[in-house]
Amino acid sequence: MTSQATENGTQRRSVTSREVLSHTDRVVNAISQHHHRSRSVKTTALDQQIRASEGEKMVSRASSTRHRERSPLRAQPEKQQGEIGRAASTESSSTTNAIHQQPKMVSTEVTLLSTALSPLALRVSPPPLSYQVQGSKKPMALDRMGADVQHAVIMEDLLYVLMGSEGQYIRFHERYNPSAEADRLAGPEFRLAKGLDPSLRDLTKNLLKLATHRSSVEAFIEIQSKTEYGVVNHALCAAIRHIMKEYLALMSDMEYKMLTSPSFTLNTFHIETMDMARKLTELNYIVQHISRKEESVAEYTDELGTDFDKIMETLKANDGNLNALNNIGISKTTSMITKGGDVIKLLTDRLYAVSGDPAARELLTYLVREASRPYMKMLNMWLHRGIIADPFNEFLVKEQKSIRRERLDEDYTDEYWDKRYTLRKDDLPPQIGDARTCDKILLAGKFLNVVRECGGVDVSNEIKDAPETIDDPRLLSNINAAYAHANEYLLSLLINTHKLSERLTSLKHYFFLDQADFFTNFMDVAFHELRKPAKNVSTSKLQSLLDLALRQPGSITATDPFKEDISVQLNEVGLTEWLMRIVSVSGLDPRDVAAMQLSTTTPVTDKSSERDDKKAFTGIQALQFDFRIPFPLSLVISRKTILRYQLLFRHLVALKHIEQLLGVAWLDQAKTAGWARRSKSVHLQNWKSKVWNLRAKMLVFIQQVLYFSTTEVVEPNWCSLMTGILDVNTVDALMQNHVDFLDTCLKECMLTNSKLLRVMAKLMSACKLFATYTTQLSKTLPGIDSETAEADSGPVEKVTKLESILLQYEQNFDHHLKILMDALNYYAATETVVLLSLCARLEVCMISETRNGL
């Protein structure tokens, strides 16, 4: 019977192997000795039972999961068979019948996997599970063994299971699929054969947790080592592999002790693996936490769809070529990955959570240190070179490569500065997660990047004494030193090499009309062109006239090295409407300056005055200057700051223009006979006196506002700005001081307050209309004077009409001037005290009004 069972088994199994047979003998001898010492009896039939069961188990394992050659056991002597031999023969016969009934067998051929794998992952197909292999002989039931035999066979099974394979009595659960990534990351569940002693079962279950964690960690290493997971994950996997080497050494030691030490028991096995079990428990927590986070990101990505920012960036970089989208490799897999600073953040948070456990703290400190090494290498390159070496998009600074410096020569917007480099605020490690430190990191790299691209300062020195891990106590001091170093280089480049102060002084001449003899010449030669409606004005003609005025001998601009950068523009929107759009949106906030160019925003203005303004929108009202700023000065004098310069320029030009109109009216009234000759009619002469008084009052008002805007607002703030440039220590502070200077000027010139802006617009409009009206009367006034001289008594109808019109001008001007005075007093007490100076100057107009009333 034994020969028949052996023959059937030989037909089902592989070729014999001397090494496996030798190993089988050693296992059987060790188990027999252990059983003999525990029972103190000779092993007779029990030895044969153990040998038979162990032989059947080794043969079965070879046919199911080992993929190794094993030999069938030698036939048992006839005198040692008895009842056990008959049981084995019966079991073998039943197994043979089952095989004939189910002839389908699982292929045990090894195949290469075609999917993309990490460099250290297995590239062969996994072995089939035990329940998938049909025809394998079942081992002897545990309830038919003694406790010592159970102890021996379970310990051997545990060694196989702890190395990732199935045993004879410990199998993977049917729910576990080793081909599914999620199952491998979660770790396998195990099924224990029935009949195991309860005391052994508890210890076995505890050790099986170690096997589950080991499989989960190994799967994590295999998956996270793929290229797209980034260098931080690669470094983390390398650190975990170092721990897994210790695990393999421990398992080898356990196997040696099991085969050689008579005192080695399952309880000893459990005690000696407890330290490693705690390590793998922490590693498994990290694995599961990262896996859950990636699943949540995957769900979010499914809702959002493809990476829109990446698509737009690629289209910009390729000038809208849709074929470029085929090469960007957008996939949900990439967007689901937890990498870079997010991984370091997860490890650091776990380190803080288990800081009371010395062993866990030591393990996580090691993982944080090793995982952060490539991250710190990228950080040091950014801080000390201004270069981003981030092929997997995991660094805290994100680069938009579609925004190129070459475009600044055509359109020098500050998009390059604000959007070329940004922070990934959701992936910041806690060690550098506070806002101030992140800003320093971002700005330090930006500054050095500008210096490197301009070639102003050599930044190619070797990086020395930089921290290599994120837990280095020198981290913050290194960031601060790099920030100060970058500021020093860029300030030197801007102030000394590119002459920032001289450039700002040139802007003051052109936009703030400082020593603006050129502008007076320009207004004189371009007077007739600027009187036309704005849509009929020739910009090229104005540019030619401006160039002539700039090169006028003796003018301050004749020796200006930057006069070639000034140009003429015509704005399609009036100054008041433009400013009201800004105020109605959200004030003059730097983030909302783009609202200045919005044509869809409805300004808060009077509809009737708006229609009148559009009809009378002339070239002088649309006139504004533009200034070309080269890189890197465009970082400080950006498009947003140029817009502020233009607003102040248009305000000053409007005051200059009205002053010129009132001056022309005064000259006309002094030279024209109808105005200069004394009228015979008392009523007409009194009317002329009132016209002269109102004109003088308007001229005083305009001159006082102009003087206030230039001498008491622009000039003091300008002096503060130039002093600050000499004392500033950081480029960020320099840029902020420049913006603050312009915002202060706009505020104190009453261009950011809607109420003051509306009142000033009505007063200036009244002055302009009155100057034009009196100039037009110069032609008809001699005829009216003749008519009044021929009248016997009383005013004629035309004089009465003139007085009525003059009264409307006076009432309108006085009413709005009174409103302006009250508003200035209020805002001087609540917002800015500098408005009190303008109140005192405008008292001249009020005193003149009171005297006229008396």
Side-chain angles (χ1 to χ4, degrees):
M1 184 180 297
T2 304
S3 301
Q4 182 180 359
T6 303
E7 182 179 357
N8 293 336
T10 305
Q11 293 174 358
R12 297 193 303 270
R13 292 167 177 81
S14 60
V15 184
T16 63
S17 172
R18 292 183 179 179
E19 290 81 359
V20 177
L21 182 59
S22 177
H23 175 70
T24 305
D25 291 338
R26 289 199 302 270
V27 172
V28 173
N29 291 334
I31 296 173
S32 301
Q33 292 173 9
H34 182 77
H35 179 69
H36 173 73
R37 286 192 301 270
S38 61
R39 295 294 180 89
S40 299
V41 294
K42 293 182 179 180
T43 57
T44 54
L46 181 59
D47 286 345
Q48 305 305 322
Q49 178 184 358
I50 294 172
R51 183 178 296 274
S53 62
E54 287 298 314
E56 291 295 332
K57 179 173 66 175
M58 296 299 294
V59 173
S60 176
R61 180 176 293 120
S63 63
S64 61
T65 62
R66 290 295 173 265
H67 296 283
R68 296 192 297 265
E69 294 182 352
R70 296 188 183 272
S71 62
L73 293 178
R74 291 166 293 182
Q76 304 289 337
E78 293 182 1
K79 62 179 180 180
Q80 296 178 351
Q81 291 180 0
E83 184 179 353
I84 299 175
R86 289 192 299 272
S89 178
T90 304
E91 185 178 42
S92 176
S93 301
S94 61
T95 303
T96 304
N97 295 333
I99 293 173
H100 288 297
Q101 293 174 4
Q102 299 177 357
K104 184 178 180 182
M105 301 289 289
V106 175
S107 175
T108 57
E109 294 182 358
V110 178
T111 58
L112 291 176
L113 299 179
S114 59
T115 57
L117 297 172
S118 60
L120 299 180
L122 292 176
R123 285 172 166 77
V124 296
S125 58
L129 301 180
S130 59
Y131 67 87
Q132 295 175 330
V133 178
Q134 301 178 7
S136 60
K137 186 164 184 172
K138 295 182 179 180
M140 179 177 290
L142 289 174
D143 53 6
R144 298 177 59 185
M145 301 180 185
D148 289 340
V149 179
Q150 289 186 6
H151 182 277
V153 297
I154 285 298
M155 271 207 304
E156 186 190 9
D157 264 20
L158 280 173
L159 283 174
Y160 281 106
V161 170
L162 289 173
M163 292 302 297
S165 301
E166 291 182 291
Q168 288 291 314
Y169 301 97
I170 304 175
R171 302 291 179 90
F172 293 142
H173 200 282
E174 287 81 357
R175 291 193 298 267
Y176 176 67
N177 181 10
S179 301
E181 184 175 296
D183 286 0
R184 290 160 57 207
L185 285 173
E189 297 180 18
F190 294 96
R191 293 184 297 108
L192 277 172
K194 297 180 180 180
L196 183 63
D197 186 85
S199 61
L200 298 178
R201 179 179 293 273
D202 292 339
L203 286 174
T204 302
K205 287 184 176 180
N206 288 334
L207 289 169
L208 288 179
K209 294 179 182 178
L210 177 60
T212 300
H213 295 167
R214 178 261 172 201
S215 299
S216 175
V217 172
E218 288 288 352
F220 176 81
I221 293 174
E222 179 180 335
I223 294 169
Q224 300 290 118
S225 296
K226 294 179 182 178
T227 304
E228 63 268 20
Y229 281 79
V231 292
V232 174
N233 274 321
H234 297 168
L236 175 62
C237 291
I240 296 177
R241 276 197 296 268
H242 181 74
I243 298 173
M244 296 310 294
K245 288 181 181 179
E246 298 178 4
Y247 176 86
L248 291 176
L250 176 64
M251 292 299 105
S252 177
D253 185 52
M254 294 298 101
E255 182 182 22
Y256 178 78
K257 289 182 179 180
M258 185 193 76
L259 296 176
T260 60
S261 176
S263 62
F264 187 77
T265 63
L266 190 61
N267 189 44
T268 307
F269 196 156
H270 178 254
I271 293 174
E272 293 194 10
T273 57
M274 286 180 66
D275 291 340
M276 182 57 66
R278 283 195 291 267
K279 288 184 179 181
L280 289 185
T281 299
E282 284 299 325
L283 293 178
N284 180 69
Y285 175 86
I286 294 170
V287 169
Q288 302 307 322
H289 200 80
I290 292 178
S291 302
R292 286 195 298 269
K293 188 165 186 178
E294 289 180 350
E295 289 175 2
S296 62
V297 173
E299 295 176 0
Y300 181 71
T301 306
D302 288 339
E303 296 176 1
L304 292 182
T306 316
D307 192 347
F308 180 76
D309 292 337
K310 193 171 183 180
I311 293 177
M312 296 304 298
E313 181 180 343
T314 304
L315 289 176
K316 287 181 180 179
N318 294 274
D319 298 326
N321 186 7
L322 295 177
N323 294 329
L325 295 178
N326 298 328
N327 302 322
I328 62 177
I330 295 176
S331 65
K332 290 185 179 181
T333 304
T334 303
S335 61
M336 297 173 189
I337 295 173
T338 302
K339 56 185 178 180
D342 211 3
V343 174
I344 299 176
K345 180 181 178 182
L346 188 149
L347 294 174
T348 305
D349 291 343
R350 183 59 181 172
L351 174 60
Y352 294 157
V354 299
S355 58
D357 184 352
R361 183 174 66 248
E362 180 182 0
L363 171 65
L364 287 164
T365 301
Y366 166 73
L367 293 179
V368 170
R369 183 181 299 116
E370 296 302 316
S372 64
R373 289 185 184 276
Y375 195 86
M376 288 300 299
K377 186 177 180 181
M378 290 187 285
L379 178 62
N380 290 327
M381 285 289 292
W382 174 249
L383 287 175
H384 299 282
R385 299 282 179 84
I387 299 173
I388 292 183
D390 184 20
F392 303 108
N393 298 323
E394 52 188 332
F395 187 49
L396 77 151
V397 179
K398 178 182 179 181
E399 180 181 10
Q400 293 279 3
K401 295 183 179 180
S402 60
I403 304 175
R404 299 190 295 267
R405 175 178 173 260
E406 289 75 13
R407 299 182 180 180
L408 296 177
D409 297 332
E410 303 174 1
D411 183 17
Y412 66 101
T413 64
D414 51 350
E415 184 183 45
Y416 180 84
W417 180 257
D418 288 342
K419 297 182 180 179
R420 174 69 185 273
Y421 300 104
T422 55
L423 288 174
R424 291 186 173 94
K425 296 184 179 180
D426 296 333
D427 300 334
L428 299 178
Q431 292 85 346
I432 54 176
D434 62 285
R436 182 57 183 164
T437 303
C438 291
D439 289 340
K440 286 184 178 181
I441 294 173
L442 178 63
L443 292 175
K446 278 186 176 183
F447 296 160
L448 285 183
N449 184 269
V450 172
V451 174
R452 181 176 54 82
E453 291 192 3
C454 296
V457 181
D458 183 15
V459 293
S460 60
N461 297 330
E462 183 180 356
I463 302 175
K464 298 180 180 179
D465 298 329
E468 296 182 355
T469 60
I470 205 166
D471 61 342
D472 195 313
R474 300 174 298 164
L475 175 62
L476 294 181
S477 60
N478 177 63
I479 293 173
N480 293 330
Y483 178 68
H485 176 75
N487 273 290
E488 180 183 354
Y489 273 163
L490 186 54
L491 281 174
S492 175
L493 180 69
L494 293 174
I495 297 175
N496 300 329
T497 306
H498 291 272
K499 300 179 180 180
L500 176 63
S501 299
E502 289 82 351
R503 182 75 65 168
L504 291 174
T505 303
S506 182
L507 284 172
K508 183 185 178 186
H509 290 323
Y510 296 126
F511 287 93
F512 296 154
L513 306 181
D514 177 53
Q515 302 176 3
D517 53 344
F518 81 95
F519 188 73
T520 303
N521 296 332
F522 171 70
M523 293 290 287
D524 291 340
V525 297
F527 178 74
H528 294 289
E529 188 71 22
L530 293 174
R531 289 178 58 187
K532 298 178 182 179
K535 61 182 179 180
N536 298 331
V537 177
S538 172
T539 306
S540 59
K541 184 176 181 179
L542 289 179
Q543 184 64 50
S544 300
L545 296 175
L546 177 62
D547 292 339
L548 290 175
L550 292 175
R551 290 163 178 78
Q552 186 73 24
S555 173
I556 191 174
T557 58
T559 58
D560 185 6
F562 309 115
K563 61 178 176 290
E564 301 294 337
D565 296 329
I566 194 73
S567 62
V568 175
Q569 287 184 348
L570 293 177
N571 200 310
E572 297 179 356
V573 183
L575 175 63
T576 303
E577 181 181 354
W578 198 5
L579 289 170
M580 291 305 299
R581 290 179 181 182
I582 301 170
V583 174
S584 64
V585 173
S586 59
L588 198 65
D589 190 277
R591 295 168 296 182
D592 300 319
V593 175
M596 300 177 185
Q597 298 176 334
L598 294 176
S599 58
T600 57
T601 307
T602 304
V604 186
T605 52
D606 205 10
K607 293 184 179 181
S608 59
S609 62
E610 182 181 348
R611 288 193 297 269
D612 295 339
D613 289 342
K614 288 183 178 180
K615 291 179 181 178
F617 190 58
T618 60
I620 190 63
Q621 293 174 298
L623 177 67
Q624 69 181 23
F625 287 164
D626 196 10
F627 205 80
R628 187 179 64 85
I629 305 294
F631 186 83
L633 289 177
S634 58
L635 301 178
V636 179
I637 311 172
S638 64
R639 173 53 57 185
K640 293 178 182 178
T641 58
I642 290 295
L643 287 172
R644 289 169 166 84
Y645 277 108
Q646 290 175 339
L647 290 175
L648 289 166
F649 170 78
R650 295 183 69 183
H651 174 65
L652 296 177
V653 168
L655 293 173
K656 282 276 189 181
H657 177 57
I658 296 174
E659 182 187 23
Q660 185 182 30
L661 290 178
L662 291 172
V664 171
W666 174 76
L667 288 175
D668 186 60
Q669 292 170 12
K671 293 179 180 180
T672 305
W675 287 102
R677 187 176 57 198
R678 185 174 181 82
S679 301
K680 296 180 180 180
S681 172
V682 178
H683 294 284
L684 184 59
Q685 189 62 34
N686 291 337
W687 176 83
K688 288 182 182 180
S689 300
K690 291 180 180 180
V691 170
W692 294 332
N693 289 335
L694 182 57
R695 174 188 48 77
K697 190 193 307 185
M698 289 181 174
L699 182 60
V700 169
F701 167 75
I702 294 297
Q703 288 176 341
Q704 293 300 330
V705 174
L706 182 60
Y707 179 86
F708 170 77
S709 299
T710 55
T711 306
E712 298 192 13
V713 173
V714 173
E715 194 63 33
N717 288 299
W718 175 265
C719 294
S720 300
L721 174 65
M722 300 309 292
T723 304
I725 289 178
L726 300 177
D727 298 335
V728 75
N729 295 322
T730 65
V731 178
D732 193 35
L734 173 62
M735 298 168 64
Q736 190 61 45
N737 288 346
H738 187 219
V739 173
D740 291 343
F741 156 72
L742 293 171
D743 288 345
T744 302
C745 291
L746 286 168
K747 183 178 181 180
E748 294 181 354
C749 286
M750 303 172 290
L751 300 181
T752 60
N753 187 292
S754 59
K755 183 174 182 180
L756 293 176
L757 191 60
R758 281 193 293 265
V759 175
M760 277 295 301
K762 291 179 179 179
L763 284 170
M764 293 171 66
S765 178
C767 294
K768 179 182 176 182
L769 291 174
F770 181 74
T772 305
Y773 168 70
T774 55
T775 303
Q776 293 173 352
L777 280 178
S778 299
K779 298 179 180 180
T780 60
L781 192 59
I784 297 175
D785 195 6
S786 300
E787 293 181 9
T788 56
E790 296 174 359
D792 295 335
S793 62
V796 297
E797 182 180 355
K798 290 186 178 181
V799 175
T800 304
K801 186 175 181 180
L802 289 175
E803 289 178 343
S804 175
I805 294 174
L806 178 61
L807 181 62
Q808 292 179 5
Y809 275 112
E810 286 181 335
Q811 291 177 348
N812 182 65
F813 181 78
D814 294 340
H815 172 70
H816 289 98
L817 182 61
K818 181 66 169 59
I819 294 176
L820 178 64
M821 293 287 293
D822 294 340
L824 288 175
N825 282 307
Y826 173 76
Y827 290 115
T830 58
E831 293 186 5
T832 173
V833 71
V834 74
L835 296 178
L836 286 175
S837 176
L838 180 60
C839 290
R841 295 184 178 279
L842 294 181
E843 286 292 336
V844 178
C845 298
M846 300 296 293
I847 293 173
S848 176
E849 178 185 353
T850 303
R851 288 177 178 175
N852 291 336
L854 294 175

